[in-house]
Amino acid sequence: MASATTPPRSLSAPAVLAVLAGCLSLPTTWAQTGPTAAENDPAIRLHEMRDWVDALSDESFHRRQAAAYKLREGALLGGARGEAALAALRLGRQNSSLETRIASERILQSLALSAFDDQIDQLLNPHVPPEGIAMAGWKPFSEMAGSDLAARSLFSRIAVQHDRILRTMQSPATDAALRNALPDPYTLGNDDAVSWALVLLTDSQCDPLQSTHAFSKITVSLSNSTMGPNLRDANDAAVVRRMISHWIGNHPQRGTTAQRILIAMRYSCEQRAAQLCDQVLADPHALPTSQVTAMLAASVLRRPHLRPQLIARLSDDRTAHVWQLIASRQTKIRTQVRDVALALLLRLHDTDPRAAGFDELQADPLLIYRDHSLGFANDAARAAAHAKGLTLIRQDEPGSNP
């Protein structure tokens, strides 16, 4: 194997045949020779190869070695002769002789591993175009992650460790099989790029109506700062980031817009986050939680025309969050859409919202302020803060009328 990053591996019997089937169409790396007249007859070819399979249990060691060599050579030649060799070896796995069955299986395994190595070499060769790679799972993966060297490197590790799952993807009616084969997102390590990439890839291939439970777990993991991928390798992080951006947009009707914005912001999918923010802010009737998250994210992203959008929401008294700081404390903090709009307007004027009466304010490393901390315990406190906040804005910008 050319790649030092790929560990030793073995393939299941179905995978052996699947890999070998693809190898018969790899003329660039498997030698080709012209057939003789006799070899043009499929029956003669198959009979010859079956004779060699029977010789795998011959009493003579040299005869057994010659038989194994002839069968490997026939398979590697490809074409009709290769098909005959593989057909004979498949029959050899059902032979009455235990030695023949074992030898046939070993030859098929060695052929499959050689073929798999060849596929990996092509994958990691930057001169091979993406469309020239025929590995199971590569097409949907490259659509999500791209086809640069970083993406190819990550996919090569996925293929080595999870070849069976990638092949399941290509089978019909596989949603249940895929979901059952995947690890629980809640149990994945933060630095496990291979598993996270596989989870994102397979979820994107499943029917969204049938995989809501898996989607919910992925959403919770990606939006929780202590969970989800947090990769140390910059190349892997860039690839997974592209996959997350694609995953967010793959099923826009699943989950909430607020969740998708949070995930996009956490993983620096700025273009995706900006698109979602603009979508929400263009709709004054969007859910209050989405309005609040979109305003906060748009402020971080410095979206154009944000100020008039904030001003337009100063009259939106819908509640987005209810928060109780201490369990024994009876007072609850209610955050309305207009509260967040005012706090961000004050920030645009370089004014600390606490100066206007946002006493529960807490900083947030992702969205500047924690959305639930921008509320008030009662309407009187809210009215006083809004009145003072608007006064501070007018003082900072004479002639303005937010």
Side-chain angles (χ1 to χ4, degrees), residues 26-255:
L26 293 175
T28 57
T29 52
W30 292 51
Q32 300 286 322
T33 61
T36 65
E39 289 173 335
N40 283 325
D41 187 334
I44 294 177
R45 284 195 300 266
L46 181 58
H47 180 76
E48 176 193 356
M49 292 301 168
R50 292 187 68 172
D51 284 345
W52 286 120
V53 167
D54 290 338
L56 290 173
S57 56
D58 194 273
E59 292 183 358
S60 167
F61 171 77
H62 295 293
R63 175 77 173 162
R64 295 196 303 271
Q65 290 293 95
Y69 174 81
K70 286 291 186 180
L71 288 164
R72 289 193 186 94
E73 180 188 50
L76 293 175
L77 287 174
R81 187 175 180 82
E83 292 175 3
L86 292 177
L89 286 166
R90 285 194 291 269
L91 291 172
R93 293 193 305 185
Q94 304 170 15
N95 194 281
S96 59
S97 166
L98 175 61
E99 187 173 4
T100 298
R101 294 198 300 270
I102 292 174
S104 297
E105 182 63 36
R106 284 177 177 169
I107 294 171
L108 285 170
Q109 281 278 353
S110 67
L111 288 169
L113 290 175
S114 295
F116 194 74
D117 285 347
D118 204 52
Q119 291 179 331
I120 293 291
D121 287 341
Q122 286 201 353
L123 173 68
L124 297 177
N125 183 348
H127 300 295
V128 176
E131 59 274 14
I133 298 169
M135 298 180 70
W138 167 251
K139 187 176 186 295
F141 177 86
S142 61
E143 290 172 353
M144 290 186 74
S147 57
D148 59 6
L149 282 176
R152 293 177 183 227
S153 173
L154 180 54
F155 185 76
S156 71
R157 283 173 277 149
I158 296 173
V160 167
Q161 297 178 37
H162 302 286
D163 180 72
R164 179 179 60 84
I165 295 179
L166 293 178
R167 295 190 181 285
T168 302
M169 252 180 240
Q170 294 187 324
S171 304
T174 58
D175 277 13
L178 279 175
R179 292 196 303 274
N180 293 335
L182 286 177
D184 187 337
Y186 290 170
T187 66
L188 296 184
N190 298 108
D191 202 40
D192 189 350
V194 168
S195 294
W196 276 112
L198 183 67
V199 164
L200 292 167
L201 173 62
T202 51
D203 185 70
S204 294
Q205 298 303 301
C206 288
D207 182 347
L209 298 179
Q210 300 296 325
S211 59
T212 54
H213 184 61
F215 177 85
S216 297
K217 284 192 169 187
I218 297 171
T219 300
V220 170
S221 299
L222 296 181
S223 57
N224 189 318
S225 61
T226 63
M227 303 170 69
N230 184 16
L231 307 175
R232 291 187 293 267
D233 185 275
N235 290 329
D236 284 348
V239 175
V240 172
R241 185 183 307 120
R242 294 197 291 264
M243 297 187 73
I244 290 173
S245 179
H246 187 283
W247 178 85
I248 292 171
N250 196 42
H251 299 296
Q253 303 306 318
R254 295 166 65 183

Side-chain angles (χ1 to χ4, degrees), residues 230-389:
N230 184 16
L231 307 175
R232 291 187 293 267
D233 185 275
N235 290 329
D236 284 348
V239 175
V240 172
R241 185 183 307 120
R242 294 197 291 264
M243 297 187 73
I244 290 173
S245 179
H246 187 283
W247 178 85
I248 292 171
N250 196 42
H251 299 296
Q253 303 306 318
R254 295 166 65 183
T256 68
T257 305
Q259 289 174 322
R260 291 196 290 273
I261 293 174
L262 281 173
I263 294 170
M265 293 296 292
R266 178 186 176 190
Y267 289 99
S268 302
C269 306
E270 295 183 357
Q271 185 175 356
R272 180 72 67 184
Q275 177 187 21
L276 292 169
C277 290
D278 292 348
Q279 173 187 322
V280 171
L281 295 178
D283 179 12
H285 303 294
L287 292 174
T289 51
S290 297
Q291 295 274 358
V292 164
T293 305
M295 286 189 287
L296 289 165
S299 182
V300 174
L301 297 171
R302 301 179 182 274
R303 297 302 294 158
H305 313 300
L306 177 60
R307 189 174 189 275
Q309 297 281 12
L310 296 176
I311 292 173
R313 285 161 174 76
L314 288 175
S315 59
D316 190 338
D317 60 358
R318 292 179 297 166
T319 298
H321 298 285
V322 178
W323 175 50
Q324 190 168 327
L325 179 61
I326 303 174
S328 61
R329 179 175 169 179
Q330 297 301 314
T331 303
K332 294 182 179 179
I333 306 301
R334 297 181 182 275
T335 301
Q336 297 181 354
V337 174
R338 58 179 175 171
D339 300 336
V340 178
L342 178 61
L344 292 175
L345 275 171
L346 287 165
R347 182 175 180 272
L348 285 178
H349 286 266
D350 296 322
T351 300
D352 188 337
R354 285 173 292 192
F358 286 84
D359 298 333
E360 306 292 347
L361 185 69
Q362 294 182 6
D364 184 88
L366 194 62
L367 297 178
I368 306 173
Y369 306 126
R370 297 191 184 279
D371 47 14
H372 57 261
S373 73
L374 291 168
F376 301 91
N378 53 66
D379 288 338
R382 175 175 288 107
H386 276 252
K388 187 171 184 180

